[in-house]
Amino acid sequence: MSRVLVTGAASGLGAALVAKFVAEGHQVLSTDVAEEGEGTAYLKLDVRRAEDWDAAVAWCEQNWGGLDILVNNAGIATGGRIDVETLDEWDRVVDINLMGVVRGCRAFAPLFKRQRSGHIVNTASAAGLVHPPMMSSYNTVKAGVVALSETLSHELHPYGVTVSVVCPSFFRTNLADSIRGADSAMGATARQLIEKSPRSADDIATAVLAGIKKKQFLIIPDRPAAMAWRTKRFARPLYNRQMRKIAERARQRAEPTNG
């Protein structure tokens, strides 16, 4: 039985992961920005606040004597054309989706080093591996999470610490509710892709837990994400054509011709 902390646990993939861990008999500390949670042990944690992370480390040490699995899952959806999305929107997504993960890893690394054990699981996205147009900010932060995870997989290996990074494509969740910003057309497209996906958060969570058990570094939990990643790696000209077709369709929508 492992001791597990999950951020962004109140909904979406976080809630699905918590349910899977609990069903398998693990001890789970659910964390989110809400004041109160339901079901498991709960702690309010805003991933933007270093003091909240310090409190989470203290809770784990005082109540459990340590931690086995840290799941940095909290995040928001964003995106937009480079000349439409604002710099304030960039600041927000970097602070939550990238620096939130950095803060979590930094907070728990000393504990994991002392234990000579631990498993960090960072939720990135297929957007961290493949980079569609009109998603500059989201692609950038998710690629950053992938890079951070790979770095730590080497850096913490001498201490017996394992690192995994999760890279799903679109799946049904309330993540679309976090979309806000100047590029409303891009936001509407992203919402449609999320809400019409045939995959659920539960489907993704099942694959993620299987990857954690195998201590996989790169966990790609669905076929579309895996196919996109393979296309980029092994058929780059095809990948480039696909990305540029997406960009051209977006240009035509943004600049309709007058007949």
Side-chain angles (χ1 to χ4, degrees):
M1 180 174 68
S2 296
R3 301 159 295 180
V4 185
L5 185 155
V6 180
T7 69
S11 61
L13 180 58
L17 288 169
V18 168
K20 295 290 183 185
F21 279 120
V22 170
E24 294 192 359
H26 302 291
Q27 292 179 287
V28 180
L29 174 62
S30 299
T31 73
D32 211 299
V33 292
E35 291 290 344
E36 297 181 358
E38 298 180 359
T40 66
Y42 182 84
L43 186 69
K44 180 181 178 182
L45 194 160
D46 184 336
V47 298
R48 295 170 292 184
R49 294 170 55 88
E51 55 268 39
D52 284 9
W53 279 110
D54 291 341
V57 173
W59 191 100
C60 292
E61 291 182 312
Q62 292 166 11
N63 291 275
W64 288 342
L67 185 71
D68 300 305
I69 302 174
L70 168 66
V71 183
N72 286 307
N73 172 76
I76 59 171
T78 186
R81 290 160 288 180
I82 190 64
D83 54 339
V84 179
E85 188 176 14
T86 69
L87 292 179
D88 285 343
E89 292 168 47
W90 271 85
D91 288 342
R92 177 172 176 258
V93 72
V94 169
D95 199 21
I96 296 172
N97 286 21
L98 178 55
M99 292 307 300
V101 177
V102 171
R103 294 184 191 99
C105 293
R106 190 173 186 277
F108 275 93
L111 172 62
F112 286 155
K113 285 182 175 182
R114 290 195 301 271
Q115 292 179 165
R116 291 296 194 272
S117 67
H119 193 159
I120 297 172
V121 181
N122 296 328
T123 299
S125 166
L129 303 175
V130 298
H131 307 129
M134 287 77 70
M135 292 178 59
S136 295
S137 63
Y138 195 73
N139 292 346
T140 298
V141 295
K142 292 304 186 180
V145 172
V146 174
L148 171 68
S149 302
E150 181 179 341
T151 303
L152 296 185
S153 73
H154 304 310
E155 181 176 327
L156 299 177
H157 183 266
Y159 299 92
V161 179
T162 303
V163 180
S164 298
V165 62
V166 180
C167 296
S169 64
F170 293 104
F171 60 95
R172 294 192 309 279
T173 178
N174 64 340
L175 186 65
D177 294 339
S178 67
I179 298 172
R180 64 182 76 165
D183 199 339
S184 57
M186 177 59 203
T189 299
R191 176 179 289 276
Q192 185 178 47
L193 289 169
I194 291 170
E195 293 177 348
K196 292 191 175 182
S197 171
R199 293 167 296 281
S200 68
D202 187 68
D203 296 331
I204 301 301
T206 298
V208 170
L209 258 70
I212 291 173
K213 290 176 185 176
K214 296 175 183 176
K215 295 189 175 182
Q216 292 177 343
F217 167 70
L218 181 59
I219 301 175
I220 303 180
D222 60 272
R223 180 176 172 80
M227 290 298 295
W229 174 228
R230 290 182 189 130
T231 301
K232 181 177 180 178
R233 292 185 68 192
F234 302 115
R236 188 59 183 256
L238 173 60
Y239 167 81
N240 287 343
R241 287 197 298 272
Q242 291 173 337
M243 294 299 106
R244 288 166 188 176
K245 284 180 180 178
I246 294 171
E248 176 59 21
R249 287 197 294 268
R251 184 197 66 79
Q252 291 174 1
R253 289 195 297 270
E255 302 174 2
T257 58
N258 295 318

